[in-house]
Structure formats: structure tokens, C-alpha cells
Amino acid sequence: MKIDPAKPADLSAQIAKAIRDAIMSGALPVDERLPSEAELAEKFSVSRPTVREALKRLAAQSLIRTQRGATGGAFVNRLKYQDAYGQQITTSTLLLSMNDVSFATACEARYALERACAPLSAQRRTADHLATMRAEAHRQCQPGLTDQAFCASDVAFHRALVDAAGNPVLSYQLAGAVEAMQPLMNMITFSARSRQRIIDLHVQITNAIEAQDAAKADQNLSDLSRYTQQLAQEVITQRNTAGVTK
Amino acid sequence: MKIDPAKPADLSAQIAKAIRDAIMSGALPVDERLPSEAELAEKFSVSRPTVREALKRLAAQSLIRTQRGATGGAFVNRLKYQDAYGQQITTSTLLLSMNDVSFATACEARYALERACAPLSAQRRTADHLATMRAEAHRQCQPGLTDQAFCASDVAFHRALVDAAGNPVLSYQLAGAVEAMQPLMNMITFSARSRQRIIDLHVQITNAIEAQDAAKADQNLSDLSRYTQQLAQEVITQRNTAGVTK
DNA sequence: AATTTTCATTTGTCAGACAATTAAACGTCT
DNA sequence: AGACGTTTAATTGTCTGACAAATGAAAATT
């Protein structure tokens, strides 16, 4: 673990990189204790605040955890699925919102990935997953539901669909795609009729998954994808028309 | 932007969260300048080093960038695809290596996702993507190639396949799935015969994509997935046998 | 032996200072 | 007046030293 003295700026970034590389290469195994801040400071020939800034960078990525006290210190952290989900969602959401990603592009990506899960979900779904999907579909029927709550339930439904594939890596990869769509979906106002169409498709998807009919589920997801894009298109058209007449 | 004085520990984490929430909610638009460190310190009633630790956390996630000088400061950063790729790969790689994810699980996820891209890639592939895929397939034929280099070329081939879908969101989501497999693949020793089989399938996939034959590409990817898993299974079996005899 | 106290270690936080960088304001010369 | 160098103010980057808080281990006490 060395740092390059030729690049004087951003010492904390260099130190963070050195430690990150050591962790990713496996040189520092999980739960290994890093040297104390004072020792790291001496080792890298920097002050303790600089070392601390580096450690905070790593903590932000859940690469280390810190503990106070006599036997405390910074430890290499086992990255949990939950932490990875969170980072994935944060990054995906910002990526979409900051780069003017069109609804069509994001939607295409999301449904392409979900359809990849469908055959596995059909094969491995448990009663628990089916129950969650039906519960969310039922929640979506409630008349007083706000658009936001409708979207949140939609996300929960699709997460259950993905989780039914029984592959945690797949669930992790899809978390970003599904969750990051929510802010985009929230821009849509759902009429009672369009809600009913979506709910119908959700029920059909659930039925197909329960019947372990992958082809049917794929077809329904394809329909849902097309309908969602159509809804978004209408919103955009209306917005443009309103802008012209104004 | 408030912080909770009831939880005394980890002030920098609380401050980072407050600013992160403000960015994610859109309250702080892209390129907006945050108050100076001294102002933030006063605002949150903490010292400047604490504020700095919070800012470094955000910098680690590429949420802000900092600039020195008279008009410098911390600015809300537009998250670039490149930055998002990097974080995605780091997180995915660690998730796989630290959680004893089986080769089968990771491989299943990867190929399920890639097969989701294939129809789009077949539809939209450009000459450039095809050229990259053929170039990597050709590189894989070189006799002196190390297993590591073979795997690296394999990753490059599959990234080109994914990029051919022409959906940057899809490319971003898949980056982790494809790249994080590399360390796992590196544990396999590829015989000349198994290499040839993989290369043949790569060529067939490229041909199918060029012919815009989505079904054929899907079939070939399915074959490649099965063959890869079979290879891994053999390695595991051999290793276990060696362990018993030893 | 069990419990309490003390203590050393380590992280968390603060205050103040100086260096490095940068752009704007200022002044000078043509 | 305009072009060009100089100063200056603002801001981040880094350092030093210090104290508080937590925490487990060792020592002392019952």
C-alpha cells in the first residue's frame, strides 16, 4: 500500500484508493482490523484528519465499519446485500434524474431485465412471493390511493416478482432498475381506467407465475411494458400541447 | 437540512445524509454550489473537520466535486455513466467475493440479464459493435494467451454485446453483472479445447447478432451459459477429488 | 469467585493555523 | 482605452494539538 507523492492534491483520495485496492484484491480479508488512525497516519506520512477523510470515503461505500474503544478501530466490512441494494438504488436514481434519461429508455431497460427474471420466477416462486404480489395488486385497487402510493405499490409488486426468481444476485442487480423508475413513474397521473388496466395485468402476471407459465408471464410483461410506455407518451403529448396553447 | 442532536455519534454521517437527501430530492440542482465548509460548519454547529468528513463521504459516491480557489467549493456533481459504472463494478465484485456467492448463482444472473439484451442488440447493433465482438473473438484464438487475458477478452466481448443494445441504462445495469464475474472466471483453467468451444459460440453469437436473428442469439447464449457452468462444475469436482486424495 | 474500579487504547470532535490554488479586482504600461 | 502583469480575497487541503466518549482489559476490592 503506497501512495504517489508526485500528485500532491487529494491525499485522502489516494489513501482511500490504496486501502480500497487492498480490500478488493483480497489482501485484507473480511473483519480484518486496519491499523489505527495514528498508525495509518504515520505509515502514509500524513496527519490524522487526512487519514480520517480517507476512512470516511471507504465507510460511505460500506467497505469498512468503525468501532470506538480499546479494541476498536476500522474493520473490513462484509458487504451485505442490503447495503448493496441501497447504494445501487441511490446511484441508479441519480443517474436517471441527472442525465435526462428518457422514460422510454429507462422503461425499456427495466422491462427487458424483468422479463429475464420471469422464467426463473415462474419456476421457483414460493407461496410467499405470490402472496406479496396478490397483496400489492389488491392494494392498488383501493380507490383513495394517491398516485405516489400506487407507484410505491407497483414497485413492491415488481420487486416481489424479481425476488421470486430466488437469485439474490439478480435481485440486487434489478433493485436499481426497478426502484429508480419510481420518480419517473410519479410524473404520470393515473386515471381510474389506466390503473385498472395495470392491475389486471398484475393479476394476470401473478396467475401466470403461479401456473409456472413462463411464456404467458413474458407476454403479460411485454403488454405491461407497452402500456406503460403508451401512458407516458400521452402525458408527454398533453404536456407539449398545453405548452403550445399557453 | 437538519441533523438530529439526539444521536450524538457520527455527526459527519448525519450531515452527509442531510446533504445527500437534499441532492436526491432535487432541492440542490446539478452544478449548484454548496455553502463553503466554514458556512456549513456554522450551519450544522460542528467543526470544519467534521464537515469535511461528511463532504468526503459524498465525494466517494461522486455526488459532489470540489474545487479550490476563490470561486471554488463543493458542487453538486452530475453523475456520469462512467462514474456509475465504476461504482457498480466495485460493489458487485465485492458483493460476490464476500458473500460466498456460488459460481452457478452469479452465472445464472449474468446470462439471464445478457439474454434480455440480446433481442435489442440484434435489432440495433452497429458495425462498430460487431467489429469489437469479432476482434475480441479473434484475440481469444491467440495461442499464448493467459487465462486472465482470455477472461478479460471474454468480458470485453460481452460488454460489446450489451452495448449493442443501444440503451445506456441497460449497459450500466449490466456492467456489474458482467465485470464482477471476472474474478470468478479467473479461477477456471481453460483447456485449448474448452477455449475453442467458447470462441465458436462467440462467433456464432456475433453471426446471429449480425443477421439480426434474436432467437439464434438467445439459443447460443443459452448454450454458452450451460457450457460455462459445466466447466465450473468440472473444476469444483476436480478440486474436491484432489482434496480427498491428498 | 464475583464484582467493581481503574486504566489504556481508539475513535469522534473541536480549535486554530498555515499552505496552495484560483479567479476577480486592481494597477500599470503601451 | 485596452492589454497585461500584480495583488488580494476566498476557499479548499493539510497539519498540530487537544479533549471527550466509548470500550474492553486489567487490577483492585469485596
Side-chain angles (χ1 to χ4, degrees):
Chain A
M1 279 199 299
K2 291 281 171 59
I3 58 175
D4 185 3
K7 287 183 178 176
D10 272 322
L11 282 175
S12 72
Q14 289 176 58
I15 293 169
K17 182 177 187 309
I19 299 175
R20 179 163 37 239
D21 288 347
I23 293 174
M24 291 194 68
S25 74
L28 294 172
V30 168
D31 293 333
E32 176 87 353
R33 183 180 175 281
L34 298 183
S36 73
E37 295 176 355
E39 286 170 322
L40 286 173
E42 192 177 7
K43 179 170 182 175
F44 289 115
S45 308
V46 297
S47 67
R48 217 186 118 209
T50 301
V51 167
R52 282 182 61 80
E53 287 178 9
L55 293 180
K56 293 312 168 195
R57 287 177 189 263
L58 300 176
Q61 296 180 297
S62 306
L63 264 68
I64 61 168
R65 61 177 188 278
T66 55
Q67 200 180 342
R68 287 214 272 201
T71 60
F75 298 83
V76 178
N77 191 39
R78 180 184 305 280
L79 187 60
K80 299 292 197 312
Y81 279 101
Q82 209 54 44
D83 296 328
Y85 282 171
Q87 290 179 218
Q88 170 80 339
I89 291 167
T90 301
T91 305
S92 299
T93 304
L94 286 170
L95 192 66
L96 262 53
S97 71
M98 285 182 171
N99 287 280
D100 303 315
V101 173
S102 71
F103 190 90
T105 301
C107 200
E108 173 180 282
R110 171 182 162 173
Y111 279 102
L113 296 176
E114 272 195 50
R115 287 168 69 183
C117 292
L120 294 169
S121 297
Q123 192 184 323
R124 303 182 191 153
R125 86 287 182 280
T126 66
D128 204 38
H129 296 125
L130 289 169
T132 303
M133 290 168 72
R134 293 209 188 279
E136 294 299 337
H138 189 258
R139 175 176 304 167
Q140 290 155 19
C141 294
Q142 293 177 351
L145 215 61
T146 63
D147 279 341
Q148 281 224 341
F150 183 78
C151 286
S153 173
D154 181 79
V155 167
F157 173 87
H158 286 277
R159 291 209 58 161
L161 173 62
V162 170
D163 289 342
N167 185 319
V169 176
L170 214 44
S171 291
Y172 152 70
Q173 296 287 357
L174 273 272
V178 173
E179 297 266 355
M181 278 295 290
Q182 197 165 355
L184 295 179
M185 296 278 287
N186 275 334
M187 301 191 312
I188 299 178
T189 306
F190 294 97
S191 66
R193 206 166 117 261
S194 59
R195 280 196 193 187
Q196 194 52 56
R197 174 102 176 90
I198 291 171
I199 296 165
D200 285 347
L201 282 167
H202 283 173
V203 171
Q204 285 184 46
I205 289 168
T206 311
N207 291 340
I209 294 292
E210 182 161 30
Q212 304 196 298
D213 186 343
K216 190 81 189 300
D218 187 74
Q219 180 60 48
N220 290 332
L221 272 170
S222 170
D223 290 347
L224 183 53
S225 170
R226 221 171 314 119
Y227 186 64
T228 307
Q229 296 229 26
Q230 183 191 319
L231 275 181
Q233 192 57 52
E234 283 170 14
V235 169
I236 292 166
T237 307
Q238 275 177 23
R239 200 164 291 167
N240 288 348
T241 311
V244 170
T245 52
K246 182 166 60 178
Chain B
M1 281 200 298
K2 289 282 170 59
I3 57 175
D4 186 2
K7 287 182 179 178
D10 272 322
L11 281 175
S12 72
Q14 290 176 57
I15 293 169
K17 182 176 187 308
I19 298 175
R20 180 164 37 238
D21 288 347
I23 292 174
M24 291 195 68
S25 74
L28 294 172
V30 169
D31 292 334
E32 176 88 352
R33 183 179 174 282
L34 298 182
S36 72
E37 294 175 355
E39 286 170 321
L40 286 172
E42 192 177 6
K43 180 171 182 174
F44 289 114
S45 307
V46 297
S47 67
R48 217 187 118 208
T50 302
V51 167
R52 282 182 62 80
E53 287 178 9
L55 294 179
K56 294 311 169 196
R57 286 177 190 263
L58 300 176
Q61 295 180 298
S62 306
L63 265 66
I64 60 168
R65 61 177 187 278
T66 55
Q67 202 180 341
R68 287 216 273 202
T71 59
F75 298 83
V76 178
N77 191 37
R78 180 184 304 280
L79 187 60
K80 299 293 196 310
Y81 279 101
Q82 209 54 42
D83 296 328
Y85 283 171
Q87 291 179 221
Q88 171 79 340
I89 290 167
T90 300
T91 305
S92 299
T93 304
L94 286 170
L95 192 65
L96 261 53
S97 71
M98 285 182 172
N99 286 280
D100 303 315
V101 173
S102 71
F103 191 89
T105 302
C107 199
E108 173 180 283
R110 172 183 161 173
Y111 279 103
L113 297 176
E114 272 194 50
R115 286 169 71 182
C117 291
L120 295 169
S121 297
Q123 191 184 323
R124 302 183 191 152
R125 86 286 182 281
T126 66
D128 205 37
H129 295 125
L130 290 169
T132 302
M133 290 167 72
R134 293 208 188 281
E136 294 300 337
H138 189 259
R139 173 176 306 167
Q140 290 154 21
C141 294
Q142 293 177 351
L145 214 62
T146 63
D147 278 341
Q148 280 225 341
F150 183 79
C151 285
S153 173
D154 182 78
V155 167
F157 173 88
H158 286 277
R159 291 209 57 159
L161 173 62
V162 171
D163 288 342
N167 185 320
V169 176
L170 214 43
S171 292
Y172 152 70
Q173 297 285 358
L174 274 272
V178 174
E179 299 266 354
M181 279 294 290
Q182 196 165 355
L184 295 180
M185 297 277 286
N186 275 333
M187 300 192 312
I188 299 178
T189 306
F190 294 97
S191 67
R193 206 167 115 258
S194 60
R195 281 196 193 186
Q196 193 52 56
R197 173 101 177 90
I198 291 171
I199 295 165
D200 285 346
L201 282 167
H202 283 172
V203 171
Q204 284 184 47
I205 289 168
T206 312
N207 290 341
I209 295 292
E210 181 161 32
Q212 305 197 300
D213 187 341
K216 188 81 188 300
D218 187 74
Q219 182 60 48
N220 290 332
L221 273 170
S222 171
D223 291 345
L224 183 54
S225 171
R226 220 169 316 118
Y227 186 64
T228 306
Q229 297 228 26
Q230 184 192 319
L231 275 180
Q233 193 56 51
E234 283 169 15
V235 169
I236 291 166
T237 307
Q238 276 177 22
R239 199 164 294 166
N240 287 350
T241 310
V244 169
T245 53
K246 182 166 56 179

